[in-house]
C-alpha cells in the first residue's frame, strides 16, 4: 500500500510539474500586441480580448463610442414648471426634405403626482410623467432646431386601447405607408404598476392623418409569463422581409429587494404591420436595458443597452438578430434614444450604423416636485461610414464637483461613524 502511495505521489508530482511548466509560456507577453490571437498560454482576460471582441482597442471598435449631447431649440417646457413633458422619442426619419421625430407629449396644465400617488390622479392630474399623454411630432432641417407640428395620435375615447395615455412611440415605414406603435394605457400608470400593451396607428404620410387600428397588436403575456404586465418601448425594424419589434418588460418585482424590478428586452415578429406578431421563443433576448435602442449593423443588429440589468452601459450585437453579445462597454449612454437610422427599414444585410439621434433627460430640472422630461440631441460614431477619433476616446474627465454631486447619503455617513466608533472603542478596550 505504502509503495503504491509513493508511486502515485511521484507520478502526480511529475505530471503536475510538467503541467505547470506547460502552463508557463517560455517568453513574456510581447510589447507589440499581436493582431491575431497568439498561440501561447493566455490569461482568461487577454484571451477574451481576442475571442470576445472584434477589436483589441476601443479606438478601433466600430461598436464603441462616446456620446456628445446638444440642447435642442424649438421646444417650450413652460419654464420647467412640470406641467409640460416631452420624452421617449421615436427613431428619426428623413422625408419630404426634412427630419421627423414623434414623442410622448404631456400638457394637461397640472404637474404629475407620481406613480406611488396614482390614486390621486384624475382626468386632468397625471400620475406618472407619461400619464394623460398624446403622441406629438416635430420636424427639423438640421436635427438641432425643431418645429413642433402638433398632435399625431391623440388619446382615443374609452374603451379604445390607450384611452388613458398613448406613449413611448416608434415609427415603421413599410411599403410606402407609415406606422406608429405605442404603449396604450387603460389605467393611470402606478394604479397596479406601469402596465400596458402596445397598439398601432397608420397613415399615408408622416404628417398624417393617422388612423388607429383600434386594437392591441402586441398583447401582454399570459399569467405567470415574464411579460404579463408591461409591453414597453416598441421598437420596429425590418429584417428578413419581416417586421421585428423589440420591446421591454419589467418583471419579478420583489419587495425585499431594492431596486427590485428586472428589466429585459423581448422580440416579436410579423409579416404584416398590423400583426399578428409572434413573440420569439427565446424571449427575453437582451438581459438588460431600458428603452433599448437598436440599429442594423453589418449583417446583424446592434443595441444600446443602458440603465438597468447586469449588462447595462454596454453596446451589444446579434448577427442573427436574436442572440446578443457584448460588443463594448461605454458611458453616458443616451437614454430612450431614437437614432436617425437611414437603413432601419431597407432590410439591409450591411447595416451602416448611426451617428446621431434624439434622446431624453428625465427630471430635467433636478426637482421631482416639478418632474418633466426634455428631448435632447446626441451624437456618436457607431457607423461604418465615418471614423471620428473624438468619439472614440475612453476616459470622460468628470471634474471633482461631478463626483461630489453623487456624494455620501446621511445613512452612509452614519454607518461610517458607527464603524469608527466601534474601532475606537475596541482600541480603548471599552
Ligand atoms: C419609459 C419607458 C416606458 C415606460 C415609461 C414610459 O422610460 O420605459 O415609457 O412605461 O418609462
Amino acid at each position: 500500500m505504502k509503495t503504491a502511495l509513493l508511486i502515485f505521489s511521484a507520478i502526480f508530482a511529475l505530471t503536475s510539474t510538467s503541467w505547470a511548466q506547460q502552463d508557463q509560456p517560455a517568453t513574456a507577453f510581447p510589447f507589440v500586441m499581436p493582431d491575431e490571437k497568439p498561440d501561447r498560454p493566455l490569461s482568461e482576460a487577454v484571451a477574451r480580448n481576442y475571442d470576445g471582441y472584434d477589436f483589441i482597442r476601443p479606438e478601433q471598435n466600430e461598436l464603441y463610442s462616446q456620446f456628445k449631447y446638444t440642447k435642442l431649440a424649438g421646444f417650450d417646457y413652460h419654464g420647467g414648471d412640470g406641467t409640460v413633458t416631452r420624452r421617449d422619442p421615436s427613431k428619426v426619419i428623413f422625408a419630404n426634405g426634412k427630419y421627423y421625430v414623434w414623442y410622448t407629449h404631456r400638457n394637461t396644465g397640472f404637474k404629475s403626482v407620481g406613480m406611488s400617488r396614482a390614486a390621486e390622479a384624475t382626468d386632468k392630474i397625471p400620475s406618472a410623467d407619461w400619464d394623460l399623454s398624446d403622441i406629438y411630432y416635430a420636424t427639423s432641417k438640421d436635427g438641432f432646431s425643431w418645429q413642433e407640428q402638433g398632435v399625431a395620435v391623440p388619446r382615443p375615447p374609452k374603451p379604445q386601447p390607450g384611452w388613458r395615455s398613448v406613449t413611448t412611440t416608434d415609427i415603421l415605414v413599410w411599403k410606402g405607408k407609415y406606422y406608429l406603435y405605442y404603449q396604450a394605457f387603460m389605467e393611470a400608470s402606478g394604479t397596479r404598476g406601469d402596465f400596458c400593451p402596445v397598439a398601432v396607428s397608420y397613415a399615408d404620410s408622416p404628417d398624417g392623418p393617422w388612423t388607429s387600428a383600434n386594437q392591441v397588436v402586441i398583447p401582454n403575456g399570459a399569467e405567470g409569463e415574464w411579460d404579463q404586465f408591461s409591453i414597453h418601448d416598441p421598437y420596429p425594424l425590418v429584417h428578413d422581409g419581416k417586421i421585428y419589434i423589440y420591446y421591454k418588460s419589467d418583471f419579478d418585482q420583489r419587495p425585499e429587494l431594492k431596486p427590485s424590478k428586472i428589466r429585459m428586452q423581448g422580440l416579436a415578429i410579423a409579416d404584416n404591420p398590423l400583426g399578428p406578431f409572434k413573440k420569439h421563443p427565446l424571449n427575453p433576448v437582451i438581459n438588460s436595458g431600458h428603452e433599448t435602442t437598436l440599429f442594423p449593423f453589418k449583417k446583424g443588429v446592434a443595441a444600446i443597452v443602458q440603465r438597468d440589468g447586469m449588462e447595462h452601459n454596454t453596446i451589444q450585437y446579434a448577427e442573427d438578430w436574436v442572440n446578443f453579445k457584448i460588443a463594448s462597454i461605454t458611458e453616458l449612454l443616451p437614454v430612450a434614444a431614437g437614432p436617425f437610422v437611414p437603413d432601419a427599414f431597407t432590410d439591409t444585410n450591411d447595416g451602416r450604423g448611426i451617428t446621431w439621434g434624439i434622446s431624453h433627460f428625465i427630471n430635467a430640472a433636478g426637482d421631482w416636485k416639478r418632474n418633466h422630461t426634455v428631448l435632447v440631441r446626441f451624437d456618436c460614431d457607431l457607423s461604418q461610414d465615418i471614423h471620428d477619433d473624438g468619439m472614440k476616446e475612453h476616459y470622460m474627465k468628470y471634474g471633482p464637483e461631478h463626483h461630489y454631486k453623487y456624494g455620501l447619503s446621511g445613512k452612509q455617513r452614519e454607518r461610517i461613524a458607527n464603524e469608527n466608533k466601534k474601532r475606537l472603542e475596541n482600541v480603548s478596550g471599552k
Side-chain angles (χ1 to χ4, degrees):
M1 178 60 183
K2 200 172 173 185
T3 314
L5 199 58
L6 280 171
I7 293 166
F8 172 75
S9 312
I11 293 167
F12 178 74
L14 280 171
T15 49
S16 59
T17 308
S18 61
W19 179 78
Q21 275 164 347
Q22 275 169 358
D23 186 56
Q24 300 300 328
T27 58
F29 193 79
F31 177 80
V32 178
M33 184 94 171
D35 288 334
E36 302 299 326
K37 184 179 181 181
D39 177 15
R40 53 174 286 132
L42 294 172
S43 65
E44 266 194 44
V46 173
R48 189 165 57 242
N49 237 42
Y50 289 99
D51 303 335
Y53 303 98
D54 295 339
F55 306 86
I56 51 178
R57 290 179 176 85
E59 295 86 349
Q60 297 167 299
N61 186 349
E62 291 168 322
L63 284 180
Y64 169 78
S65 182
Q66 287 191 331
F67 297 91
K68 312 277 182 190
Y69 295 91
T70 310
K71 193 168 183 175
L72 294 180
F75 294 116
D76 172 17
Y77 291 94
H78 217 225
D81 66 0
T83 59
V84 178
T85 214
R86 294 181 182 84
R87 60 176 292 153
D88 292 304
S90 70
K91 291 189 294 295
V92 175
I93 66 168
F94 189 76
N96 307 325
K98 52 195 169 191
Y99 296 109
Y100 285 77
V101 69
W102 290 262
Y103 45 88
T104 304
H105 178 280
R106 169 175 65 80
N107 182 7
T108 61
F110 294 87
K111 300 175 190 176
S112 58
V113 294
M115 288 175 72
S116 60
R117 294 170 54 193
E120 299 167 43
T122 65
D123 61 357
K124 288 282 182 207
I125 299 174
S127 59
D129 185 33
W130 55 91
D131 188 23
L132 294 175
S133 293
D134 304 295
I135 306 290
Y136 271 51
Y137 79 113
T139 58
S140 173
K141 290 285 191 184
D142 63 6
F144 291 96
S145 175
W146 290 83
Q147 293 74 46
E148 186 157 79
Q149 301 300 328
V151 67
V153 177
R155 271 169 283 151
K158 262 188 184 179
Q160 288 184 37
W163 64 264
R164 174 72 194 186
S165 197
V166 285
T167 82
T168 324
T169 191
D170 203 5
I171 185 80
L172 164 73
V173 183
W174 175 268
K175 295 181 180 169
K177 286 177 84 82
Y178 297 81
Y179 298 82
L180 282 174
Y181 297 89
Y182 45 86
Q183 296 176 203
F185 285 93
M186 272 81 87
E187 62 185 36
S189 178
T191 304
R192 294 179 296 151
D194 198 17
F195 296 174
C196 61
V198 162
V200 65
S201 293
Y202 52 85
D204 293 325
S205 156
D207 295 292
W210 295 87
T211 305
S212 168
N214 191 14
Q215 64 179 47
V216 167
V217 283
I218 305 183
N220 297 95
E223 189 176 345
E225 294 182 350
W226 76 289
D227 60 353
Q228 67 176 16
F229 290 127
S230 48
I231 307 287
H232 289 166
D233 312 328
Y235 195 101
L237 294 171
V238 173
H239 173 60
D240 194 21
K242 299 174 186 298
I243 299 135
Y244 276 48
I245 293 191
Y246 294 87
Y247 64 92
K248 158 172 69 80
S249 195
D250 301 350
F251 61 109
D252 193 5
Q253 174 141 15
R254 301 199 193 172
E256 72 276 14
L257 298 176
K258 186 170 175 40
S260 63
K261 280 180 189 171
I262 294 179
R263 290 184 165 110
M264 293 191 179
Q265 316 304 313
L267 169 61
I269 301 172
D271 295 312
N272 180 305
L274 303 185
F277 280 88
K278 186 174 181 321
K279 294 180 178 178
H280 199 283
L282 287 183
N283 276 351
V285 292
I286 298 178
N287 68 11
S288 300
H290 192 128
E291 312 121 342
T292 299
T293 300
L294 300 105
F295 52 93
F297 193 77
K298 296 184 182 173
K299 287 184 197 161
V301 66
I304 299 177
V305 182
Q306 48 91 24
R307 191 171 135 176
D308 293 304
M310 294 297 286
E311 295 179 351
H312 68 284
N313 286 2
T314 60
I315 295 171
Q316 304 203 8
Y317 180 71
E319 187 167 272
D320 66 358
W321 290 63
V322 174
N323 291 292
F324 287 81
K325 65 183 178 84
I326 295 175
S328 74
I329 297 166
T330 184
E331 54 193 323
L332 289 185
L333 289 79
V335 177
F340 174 51
V341 192
D343 53 15
F345 314 121
T346 61
D347 201 356
T348 180
N349 281 315
D350 183 22
R352 306 307 299 170
I354 62 169
T355 59
W356 72 277
I358 305 297
S359 58
H360 76 201
F361 292 136
I362 66 169
N363 192 15
D367 175 0
W368 289 107
K369 292 191 184 68
R370 52 194 180 99
N371 182 31
H372 68 288
T373 304
V374 300
L375 300 175
V376 65
R377 174 177 165 130
F378 72 90
D379 284 86
C380 64
D381 174 4
L382 293 171
S383 169
Q384 294 194 76
D385 297 326
I386 66 162
H387 184 83
D388 181 338
D389 287 331
M391 294 288 188
K392 298 291 186 181
E393 294 178 12
H394 42 85
Y395 175 38
M396 284 273 191
K397 301 170 187 66
Y398 306 105
E401 290 315 311
H402 180 85
H403 290 83
Y404 299 148
K405 182 179 160 193
Y406 297 95
L408 289 169
S409 68
K411 201 172 167 192
Q412 289 164 333
R413 285 185 176 281
E414 192 182 330
R415 171 180 54 77
I416 295 164
N418 288 336
E419 285 166 7
N420 287 336
K421 186 163 171 275
K422 275 191 205 132
R423 195 161 290 117
L424 287 169
E425 283 167 358
N426 288 343
V427 167
S428 57
K430 275 183 185 168

